[in-house]
Amino acid sequence: MKTNILLITIFTIALSNLVYSQQFTPQYTSLGSNGSTSPFHMISVNKNTVWASCSNPNATVKEHTPNLITHTKDGGITWKNNILPAETPNKFYIACISAVSKDSAWVSSVDRMDFFKRSDWKPKIYATFDGGDNWIVQNVPFSDGYGGQIHFFDHLEGIVFASNADGYFQVFKTYNAGNDWKRLPESNFPKIESAREIESDDSYYAIKDTIWVGTMGRILKSIDRGTTWTAYKTPLTDKDLIFEVTFSDPLHGIARYHDRGDYFSKNMIVTSDGGENWSIVTPQGLADKIFDLNSIPNKPGEFLCTSYSNNAITSNKLYFSNNNGTTWSEFGQMHIPGRISLFNSKIGWISEIDPNTSKIDVYKISEQIQSSTSTDSKN
């Protein structure tokens, strides 16, 4: 009997490894021969095209973020890497990236990033229209700060969301691919509730013409491509920074927040009515904190997240939820998964953030995403 159990166990492990190999295909961007950089904020434009800014997992401060962009237009078979023409590459900070095709992408950044010398900051918007061969700087007349979030709805119309200035939210819009940017008037926004109400870099999510942005305790929403905005209250206070927002469809969304600066927090609020009402949820089944959270497009209430832990035994996992973040189950064990970007429920990419795996820095998902164990799909 023990022999049979052993054989069954071995077969189960082998089958599990086979499923893993089918679901996750290792890919290599050649960003760094020593694995010092890896894809960070990734944008899946279609089943073949992905753009990503790059991070340095060894960095201890943001000033060390490299000015690198990588992208593929053949599903990850080959990758092309670009260097943005930064004035000070060692003090360069990429806040956000947006892309609409294999040729057109925009990057919001800060040159000479020094948290102790804000007067030296040089906020910049870079754009390419030839697949990264050339990058141009677009003029955005920021009153203060920089564009922490940039999003293009199509090849011409886009917005840059920056820190508030002059007593109201600072959003710039373009209708000609960024050749001209104009700040939207104060009348287009709700009143700022407190001086500390700011938004976090890359803390937005968009579906077609609708976009949601997290601030200090509130969610801002626009249904007309970022032109006019409405603010919705949450159970949080103006001391709780909402730093990640994602929606699986126009109704179901999750936002992560922290009250003490913990980026890896698994504190969550959820909505099932498009963001008008939010409730705090305590996620069940997550062994660790969250590194990244992302929705599964067009799958109401379905989400993926990667875990974070200092314990190598419990970390490096991918989790799945199909009940709007209430319960989670393991979807797969990867080496050290990082950021998630999904084009649909069958195709997506997850970055590998271990500097020791120099020949693997991204995994491609190429099968239907579903849980190994069922969770209640009711909200």
Side-chain angles (χ1 to χ4, degrees):
M1 180 63 69
K2 289 183 178 180
T3 301
N4 291 337
I5 293 175
L6 177 61
L7 290 174
I8 292 173
T9 301
I10 293 174
F11 175 77
T12 301
I13 294 174
L15 180 61
S16 174
N17 289 335
L18 177 61
V19 173
Y20 175 90
S21 64
Q22 291 174 337
Q23 289 177 333
F24 306 107
T25 303
Q27 296 183 338
Y28 179 47
T29 67
S30 71
L31 283 167
S33 59
N34 61 356
S36 60
T37 57
S38 63
F40 189 60
H41 180 196
M42 297 186 293
I43 300 294
S44 301
V45 176
N46 53 47
K47 64 180 181 179
N48 293 315
T49 303
V50 182
W51 289 81
S53 61
C54 307
S55 66
N56 185 344
N58 294 325
T60 57
V61 293
K62 290 181 178 179
E63 285 88 337
H64 295 165
T65 302
N67 57 319
L68 297 175
I69 300 294
T70 187
H71 64 103
T72 178
K73 59 182 180 182
D74 57 15
I77 298 174
T78 59
W79 294 77
K80 181 179 180 180
N81 303 323
N82 306 121
I83 299 178
L84 299 177
E87 295 178 22
T88 54
N90 293 328
K91 290 187 177 182
F92 190 82
Y93 174 54
I94 296 176
C96 194
I97 181 173
S98 182
V100 296
S101 70
K102 63 182 179 63
D103 296 316
S104 300
W106 294 260
V107 174
S108 60
S109 65
V110 181
D111 221 334
R112 297 186 179 179
M113 184 68 166
D114 188 333
F115 286 105
F116 301 102
K117 294 181 180 179
R118 186 163 179 169
S119 59
D120 290 343
W121 289 9
K122 286 191 174 182
K124 292 181 178 179
I125 303 297
Y126 290 93
T128 182
F129 304 104
D130 57 10
D133 289 338
N134 295 281
W135 292 87
I136 59 175
V137 177
Q138 297 185 331
N139 181 35
V140 182
F142 294 105
S143 296
D144 189 24
Y146 60 93
Q149 302 173 87
I150 186 169
H151 179 72
F152 271 75
F153 298 91
D154 56 33
H155 285 80
L156 296 176
E157 192 171 353
I159 63 169
V160 171
F161 206 116
S163 303
N164 59 61
D166 309 314
Y168 66 102
F169 292 106
Q170 186 178 193
V171 177
F172 298 87
K173 189 160 186 176
T174 180
Y175 294 94
N176 57 10
N179 290 321
D180 299 292
W181 293 90
K182 293 183 179 180
R183 186 177 180 181
L184 297 174
E186 183 176 4
S187 58
N188 289 25
F189 300 92
K191 296 293 184 182
I192 293 176
E193 288 199 330
S194 69
R196 64 167 61 98
E197 186 171 15
I198 60 173
E199 37 71 47
S200 179
D201 298 348
D202 188 25
S203 65
Y204 80 88
Y205 197 83
I207 298 178
K208 295 183 178 179
D209 295 342
T210 301
I211 184 170
W212 297 264
V213 175
T215 69
M216 303 296 289
R218 294 201 297 176
I219 298 288
L220 304 182
K221 181 180 179 180
S222 170
I223 61 174
D224 56 7
R225 296 192 167 196
T227 302
T228 60
W229 295 80
T230 301
Y232 294 109
K233 292 184 177 296
T234 72
L236 310 179
T237 72
D238 63 358
K239 295 181 180 179
D240 301 314
L241 175 61
I242 298 171
F243 63 92
E244 187 169 26
V245 180
T246 184
F247 276 75
S248 59
D249 67 294
L251 296 178
H252 299 85
I254 299 177
R256 276 203 298 153
Y257 69 94
H258 60 64
D259 54 5
R260 294 294 183 270
D262 185 3
Y263 176 83
F264 301 109
S265 166
K266 58 181 178 181
N267 296 332
M268 294 182 185
I269 54 175
V270 300
T271 181
S272 58
D273 60 8
E276 293 188 26
N277 295 281
W278 296 81
S279 59
I280 294 176
V281 64
T282 302
Q284 302 298 313
L286 289 178
D288 309 294
K289 296 180 179 181
I290 294 175
F291 186 88
D292 192 34
L293 170 70
N294 214 315
S295 58
I296 300 177
N298 301 316
K299 291 289 184 176
E302 296 191 7
F303 298 84
L304 284 182
C305 76
T306 53
S307 63
Y308 170 83
S309 173
N310 292 326
N311 187 339
I313 296 176
T314 61
S315 65
N316 318 334
K317 295 179 181 178
L318 189 63
Y319 288 90
F320 170 90
S321 173
N322 66 359
N323 57 8
N324 225 37
T326 301
T327 57
W328 298 78
S329 58
E330 291 183 28
F331 175 67
Q333 176 120 13
M334 306 176 69
H335 187 218
I336 301 186
R339 286 296 194 108
I340 305 168
S341 180
L342 302 175
F343 171 63
N344 57 30
S345 62
K346 294 182 179 180
I347 298 175
W349 284 262
I350 300 176
S351 65
E352 158 69 73
I353 57 174
D354 183 4
N356 297 313
T357 58
S358 58
K359 296 300 180 182
I360 301 174
D361 51 20
V362 69
Y363 294 93
K364 182 179 180 180
I365 299 175
S366 54
E367 284 195 1
Q368 181 70 40
I369 298 171
Q370 58 186 3
S371 175
S372 59
T373 58
S374 177
T375 56
D376 185 4
S377 61
K378 295 180 180 179
N379 295 311

Coordinates of all heavy atoms in Angstrom, one line a residue, residues 205 207 246-249 252 293-305 319-322 328 331 340 342-347 365 367-371:
Y205 N -7.1 52.4 -13.0 CA -7.5 51.3 -13.9 C -8.6 51.9 -14.8 O -9.4 52.7 -14.4 CB -8.1 50.1 -13.1 CG -8.1 48.9 -14.0 CD1 -7.0 48.1 -14.1 CD2 -9.3 48.5 -14.7 CE1 -7.0 46.9 -14.8 CE2 -9.3 47.4 -15.5 CZ -8.1 46.6 -15.5 OH -8.1 45.5 -16.3
I207 N -11.3 51.0 -18.2 CA -12.0 50.1 -19.1 C -12.8 50.9 -20.1 O -13.7 51.7 -19.7 CB -13.0 49.2 -18.3 CG1 -12.3 48.3 -17.3 CG2 -13.8 48.3 -19.3 CD1 -13.2 47.4 -16.5
T246 N -8.1 48.0 -9.4 CA -8.2 47.2 -10.5 C -9.7 46.7 -10.6 O -10.3 46.4 -9.6 CB -7.3 46.0 -10.5 OG1 -7.4 45.2 -11.7 CG2 -7.5 45.1 -9.3
F247 N -10.2 46.6 -11.8 CA -11.6 46.2 -12.1 C -11.6 45.0 -13.1 O -10.9 45.1 -14.1 CB -12.4 47.3 -12.6 CG -13.0 48.3 -11.6 CD1 -12.2 49.2 -10.9 CD2 -14.3 48.2 -11.2 CE1 -12.7 50.0 -9.9 CE2 -14.8 49.0 -10.2 CZ -14.0 49.9 -9.6
S248 N -12.4 44.0 -12.8 CA -12.5 42.9 -13.7 C -13.5 43.2 -14.8 O -13.5 42.5 -15.9 CB -12.8 41.6 -13.0 OG -14.1 41.8 -12.3
D249 N -14.5 44.1 -14.5 CA -15.5 44.5 -15.4 C -16.0 45.8 -14.9 O -15.5 46.3 -13.9 CB -16.6 43.4 -15.5 CG -17.4 43.3 -14.2 OD1 -16.8 42.9 -13.2 OD2 -18.6 43.7 -14.2
H252 N -17.2 45.2 -10.9 CA -16.5 44.6 -9.8 C -15.0 45.0 -9.8 O -14.3 44.9 -10.7 CB -16.5 43.0 -10.0 CG -17.9 42.5 -10.0 ND1 -18.7 42.4 -11.1 CD2 -18.6 42.0 -8.9 CE1 -19.9 41.9 -10.8 NE2 -19.9 41.6 -9.5
L293 N -1.5 43.0 -7.6 CA -2.9 42.6 -7.8 C -3.4 43.0 -9.2 O -3.1 44.1 -9.6 CB -3.8 43.2 -6.7 CG -5.3 43.0 -6.8 CD1 -5.7 41.6 -6.6 CD2 -6.0 44.0 -5.8
N294 N -4.1 42.1 -9.9 CA -4.6 42.5 -11.2 C -5.9 41.7 -11.4 O -6.1 40.6 -11.0 CB -3.6 42.2 -12.3 CG -3.7 43.2 -13.4 OD1 -4.7 43.6 -13.9 ND2 -2.5 43.7 -13.8
S295 N -6.7 42.3 -12.2 CA -8.0 41.7 -12.6 C -7.9 40.8 -13.8 O -6.9 40.9 -14.6 CB -9.1 42.8 -12.9 OG -8.6 43.6 -13.9
I296 N -8.8 39.9 -13.9 CA -8.9 39.0 -15.1 C -10.0 39.7 -16.0 O -11.1 39.7 -15.7 CB -9.2 37.6 -14.8 CG1 -8.2 37.0 -13.9 CG2 -9.4 36.8 -16.1 CD1 -8.5 35.6 -13.4
P297 N -9.6 40.3 -17.1 CA -10.5 41.1 -17.9 C -11.7 40.3 -18.4 O -11.7 39.1 -18.8 CB -9.7 41.5 -19.2 CG -8.2 41.4 -18.7 CD -8.2 40.3 -17.7
N298 N -12.9 41.0 -18.2 CA -14.2 40.4 -18.7 C -14.6 39.2 -17.9 O -15.4 38.4 -18.5 CB -14.2 40.2 -20.2 CG -13.9 41.5 -21.0 OD1 -14.4 42.5 -20.7 ND2 -13.0 41.3 -22.0
K299 N -14.0 39.0 -16.8 CA -14.4 37.9 -15.9 C -14.9 38.5 -14.6 O -14.1 38.7 -13.7 CB -13.3 36.9 -15.7 CG -12.9 36.1 -16.9 CD -13.9 35.1 -17.3 CE -13.5 34.2 -18.4 NZ -14.5 33.1 -18.7
P300 N -16.2 38.8 -14.5 CA -16.7 39.5 -13.3 C -16.2 38.9 -12.0 O -16.5 37.7 -11.7 CB -18.2 39.5 -13.4 CG -18.4 39.4 -14.9 CD -17.3 38.5 -15.4
G301 N -15.6 39.7 -11.1 CA -15.2 39.2 -9.8 C -13.9 38.3 -9.8 O -13.6 37.8 -8.7
E302 N -13.2 38.2 -10.9 CA -12.1 37.3 -10.9 C -10.8 38.1 -10.9 O -10.6 39.1 -11.7 CB -12.1 36.4 -12.1 CG -13.3 35.4 -12.1 CD -13.2 34.3 -13.1 OE1 -12.2 34.2 -13.8 OE2 -14.2 33.5 -13.2
F303 N -9.8 37.7 -10.1 CA -8.6 38.4 -9.9 C -7.4 37.5 -9.7 O -7.6 36.4 -9.2 CB -8.7 39.4 -8.7 CG -9.7 40.5 -8.9 CD1 -11.1 40.2 -8.5 CD2 -9.4 41.7 -9.4 CE1 -12.1 41.1 -8.7 CE2 -10.4 42.7 -9.5 CZ -11.7 42.4 -9.2
L304 N -6.2 38.0 -10.0 CA -5.0 37.3 -9.6 C -4.1 38.2 -8.8 O -4.2 39.4 -8.9 CB -4.1 36.9 -10.9 CG -4.6 35.8 -11.8 CD1 -3.6 35.7 -12.9 CD2 -4.7 34.5 -11.0
C305 N -3.3 37.6 -7.9 CA -2.3 38.4 -7.2 C -1.0 37.5 -7.0 O -1.1 36.3 -7.0 CB -2.8 38.9 -5.8 SG -2.9 37.7 -4.5
Y319 N -2.0 33.6 -6.7 CA -3.3 33.3 -6.1 C -4.4 33.8 -7.0 O -4.3 34.7 -7.8 CB -3.5 34.0 -4.8 CG -2.6 33.4 -3.6 CD1 -1.3 33.9 -3.4 CD2 -3.1 32.4 -2.8 CE1 -0.6 33.4 -2.4 CE2 -2.4 31.9 -1.8 CZ -1.1 32.4 -1.6 OH -0.3 31.9 -0.5
F320 N -5.6 33.1 -6.9 CA -6.7 33.3 -7.7 C -8.0 33.5 -6.9 O -8.1 32.8 -5.9 CB -6.9 32.2 -8.7 CG -8.2 32.2 -9.5 CD1 -8.3 32.8 -10.7 CD2 -9.4 31.6 -9.0 CE1 -9.5 32.8 -11.4 CE2 -10.6 31.6 -9.7 CZ -10.6 32.2 -10.9
S321 N -8.8 34.5 -7.2 CA -10.1 34.7 -6.6 C -11.2 34.9 -7.6 O -11.0 35.6 -8.6 CB -10.1 35.9 -5.6 OG -11.4 36.2 -5.1
N322 N -12.3 34.2 -7.4 CA -13.4 34.5 -8.3 C -14.7 35.0 -7.6 O -15.8 34.9 -8.1 CB -13.8 33.2 -9.1 CG -14.3 32.1 -8.3 OD1 -14.4 32.2 -7.0 ND2 -14.6 31.0 -8.9
W328 N -9.2 33.3 -1.6 CA -8.2 33.1 -2.6 C -7.7 31.7 -2.5 O -7.6 31.1 -1.4 CB -7.0 34.1 -2.3 CG -7.4 35.5 -2.5 CD1 -8.1 36.3 -1.6 CD2 -7.2 36.3 -3.6 NE1 -8.3 37.6 -2.1 CE2 -7.7 37.6 -3.3 CE3 -6.6 36.1 -4.9 CZ2 -7.7 38.7 -4.2 CZ3 -6.5 37.2 -5.8 CH2 -7.1 38.4 -5.4
F331 N -3.0 29.4 -7.4 CA -3.1 29.1 -8.8 C -1.9 28.4 -9.3 O -1.9 27.6 -10.2 CB -3.4 30.4 -9.6 CG -3.4 30.2 -11.1 CD1 -4.4 29.5 -11.7 CD2 -2.4 30.8 -11.9 CE1 -4.4 29.3 -13.1 CE2 -2.4 30.6 -13.3 CZ -3.5 29.9 -13.9
I340 N 1.9 41.6 -12.7 CA 1.0 40.9 -13.5 C 0.4 41.8 -14.6 O 0.0 43.0 -14.3 CB -0.1 40.3 -12.7 CG1 0.4 39.5 -11.6 CG2 -1.1 39.5 -13.6 CD1 -0.7 39.1 -10.5
L342 N -2.5 41.2 -17.8 CA -3.3 40.2 -18.5 C -4.0 40.9 -19.7 O -4.6 42.0 -19.5 CB -4.3 39.6 -17.6 CG -3.8 38.8 -16.4 CD1 -5.0 38.4 -15.5 CD2 -2.9 37.7 -16.8
F343 N -3.9 40.3 -20.9 CA -4.7 40.8 -22.0 C -6.1 40.3 -21.9 O -7.1 41.0 -22.2 CB -4.0 40.4 -23.3 CG -4.9 40.7 -24.5 CD1 -5.2 42.0 -24.8 CD2 -5.4 39.7 -25.3 CE1 -6.0 42.3 -25.9 CE2 -6.2 39.9 -26.4 CZ -6.5 41.2 -26.7
N344 N -6.3 39.0 -21.6 CA -7.6 38.4 -21.4 C -7.4 37.2 -20.4 O -6.4 37.1 -19.7 CB -8.2 38.0 -22.7 CG -7.3 37.0 -23.5 OD1 -6.6 36.2 -22.9 ND2 -7.4 37.0 -24.8
S345 N -8.4 36.4 -20.3 CA -8.4 35.3 -19.3 C -7.5 34.1 -19.8 O -7.4 33.2 -19.0 CB -9.8 34.8 -19.1 OG -10.4 34.2 -20.3
K346 N -6.9 34.2 -20.9 CA -6.1 33.1 -21.4 C -4.6 33.6 -21.7 O -3.7 32.7 -21.7 CB -6.6 32.5 -22.7 CG -8.0 31.8 -22.5 CD -8.4 31.2 -23.9 CE -9.8 30.5 -23.7 NZ -10.2 29.9 -25.0
I347 N -4.4 34.8 -21.9 CA -3.1 35.3 -22.3 C -2.7 36.5 -21.3 O -3.4 37.4 -21.1 CB -3.1 35.8 -23.7 CG1 -3.4 34.7 -24.7 CG2 -1.7 36.4 -24.1 CD1 -3.5 35.1 -26.1
I365 N 1.6 33.5 -19.6 CA 0.4 32.6 -19.3 C -0.3 32.4 -20.7 O -0.6 33.4 -21.4 CB -0.5 33.2 -18.3 CG1 0.2 33.5 -17.0 CG2 -1.7 32.3 -18.1 CD1 -0.7 34.2 -16.0
E367 N -2.9 29.7 -21.0 CA -4.0 28.9 -20.9 C -5.1 29.6 -20.1 O -4.8 30.6 -19.4 CB -3.6 27.5 -20.2 CG -2.9 26.6 -21.1 CD -2.8 25.2 -20.5 OE1 -3.4 25.0 -19.4 OE2 -2.3 24.3 -21.1
Q368 N -6.3 29.0 -20.1 CA -7.4 29.6 -19.3 C -7.0 29.7 -17.9 O -6.6 28.7 -17.3 CB -8.7 28.8 -19.5 CG -9.9 29.3 -18.8 CD -10.4 30.6 -19.4 OE1 -10.4 30.7 -20.6 NE2 -10.8 31.5 -18.6
I369 N -7.2 30.9 -17.3 CA -6.9 31.1 -15.9 C -8.1 30.6 -15.1 O -9.2 31.1 -15.2 CB -6.6 32.5 -15.6 CG1 -5.4 33.0 -16.3 CG2 -6.4 32.8 -14.1 CD1 -5.1 34.5 -16.3
Q370 N -7.9 29.6 -14.2 CA -9.0 29.2 -13.3 C -8.3 28.6 -12.1 O -7.2 28.1 -12.1 CB -9.9 28.2 -14.0 CG -9.1 26.9 -14.6 CD -10.0 26.1 -15.4 OE1 -11.2 26.4 -15.6 NE2 -9.5 24.9 -15.8
S371 N -9.1 28.5 -11.0 CA -8.6 28.0 -9.8 C -8.5 26.5 -9.7 O -9.3 25.8 -10.4 CB -9.5 28.5 -8.6 OG -9.1 27.9 -7.4

